Structures are given as C-alpha cells and as structure tokens.
Amino acid sequence: MHYFSHIARMLAAVLAALLVTTNVSAQETRIGEEGFESPSATLAQLDWLVGQWSGDGIGGEPAMEGWLPPTGPTMVGTFVQMNADGTIMFSEHMYLTQEEGSLALKVKHFNADFTGWEEKDDMLNFRLVALEPCAAYFNALTLRCADASKPGEGLVAAVRMQSGEELVFRFGQLEQPR
C-alpha cells in the first residue's frame, strides 16, 4: 500500500509540474516601463502589415483585419470580429501614425449597430515599445509576422486586456474573390 501512495504522490507532482510549465507561456505583448520613451520608427518599417488577413478570433469565431498602404503619416486599418452566425460582433477602426519620430496606434471600437464604445472624441492610444524585423510591439498590443522569414504569409495580433489576459489572433492572407 505504501508503494502505491508513493507512486500516486510522484504522479501528482509530475502532473502539477506539467500544469505549471504548460500554463507559463511567453506573452505576445509587451508593457513599457512607466515613462518609457518610444524608439525611432517610420511607417515604411511596417510595409509587411499591408494586406487583408483572416483567421480565428474570440472564441474561435471568424475575424478579419486589413491594412492599407500609408497615406502621408498614417496607415488605416480595420478589424472585424464576427459571431458564429456570420454577423458582426464588433469592429475597430485603427490609425497607425507617425508621431514625434516614432509610431502610435489609435483604436476606436464599434458595436454591430455602429455605436461607439469610446466617447466621441476618445480613443485607445498604444505607443510603440519596440520595433523588430517583422514585429511592432506597442504598449499592450503586438502586430507581428507569423514567421519573420516569410512576411506576408501570416499575421499575429495580440492585445493584453486590463485583466492581464491576452487575446491572440492568428491570421492568414485573406483569399480575394475573383
């Protein structure tokens, strides 16, 4: 009997270790230290972002993201999260702008009926924390190539919620109708 309780304790310890190591995963997002300075950056460094992307969104339901080429100091993007029935759950209108020698991402959210989440003149503003080849890390929001050696083949977008939970979206190129 003692032998079996020893085995049971060992198995419990192994399972606990496995649970700890599988729950500790690398964060996709980064948070700037208080008072951080954004690095120098230009929109030209994010040319890999331009395109139409689709994949699984919240709860595995379909989502799409699209980015237009820069118009002056701004790139315009959209995000659409759909429900299981194919209707819009919510959308985002995004401006990626050059500001003070760096980049900022401004976001406004809209319900399916196009009413806004933020107040009329308010928006979420994500300042750039770090820029790497094929990756832009804003404060609590990441846009990066799925594979840095293959820009244009996949996009990972991640946002850290106020709760600390990350929402991670993995997109492939959207097939264009002919």
Side-chain angles (χ1 to χ4, degrees):
M1 185 73 157
H2 177 68
Y3 175 76
F4 290 111
S5 66
H6 178 70
I7 296 290
R9 280 196 309 270
M10 283 181 31
L11 282 173
V14 168
L15 285 173
L18 284 173
L19 287 173
V20 168
T21 57
T22 56
N23 286 334
V24 177
S25 60
Q27 295 276 317
E28 282 285 350
T29 57
R30 298 181 185 178
I31 302 293
E33 299 290 326
E34 189 170 332
F36 76 93
E37 289 192 32
S38 294
S40 296
T42 66
L43 290 176
Q45 292 171 283
L46 272 68
D47 61 349
W48 51 266
L49 187 57
V50 174
Q52 300 294 317
W53 309 94
S54 67
D56 292 336
I58 297 171
E61 301 303 336
M64 297 181 292
E65 186 161 326
W67 287 94
L68 296 171
T71 302
T74 305
M75 283 177 70
V76 175
T78 57
F79 171 84
V80 178
Q81 174 63 61
M82 292 180 269
N83 292 305
D85 65 3
T87 60
I88 294 174
M89 180 187 299
F90 70 92
S91 63
E92 298 173 351
H93 191 80
M94 302 176 285
Y95 273 18
L96 184 52
T97 62
Q98 290 183 197
E99 292 182 356
E100 300 174 9
S102 190
L103 299 172
L105 180 61
K106 300 171 189 288
V107 180
K108 286 188 82 81
H109 295 85
F110 297 92
N111 294 309
D113 66 359
F114 209 55
T115 54
W117 294 10
E118 294 83 15
E119 293 295 322
K120 180 181 175 185
D121 293 333
D122 288 342
M123 68 202 76
L124 299 179
N125 191 8
F126 300 91
R127 290 180 38 225
L128 188 66
V129 173
L131 188 65
E132 296 174 2
C134 231
Y137 297 95
F138 296 89
N139 195 38
L141 189 146
T142 296
L143 297 170
R144 69 171 179 81
C145 295
D147 181 341
S149 67
K150 299 176 184 172
E153 289 191 16
L155 174 67
V156 174
V159 62
R160 189 175 309 184
M161 310 301 287
Q162 288 181 343
S163 66
E165 175 191 7
E166 277 191 337
L167 295 178
V168 179
F169 304 87
R170 298 185 188 286
F171 298 120
Q173 283 188 322
L174 181 65
E175 293 294 323
Q176 297 298 321
R178 294 178 185 225

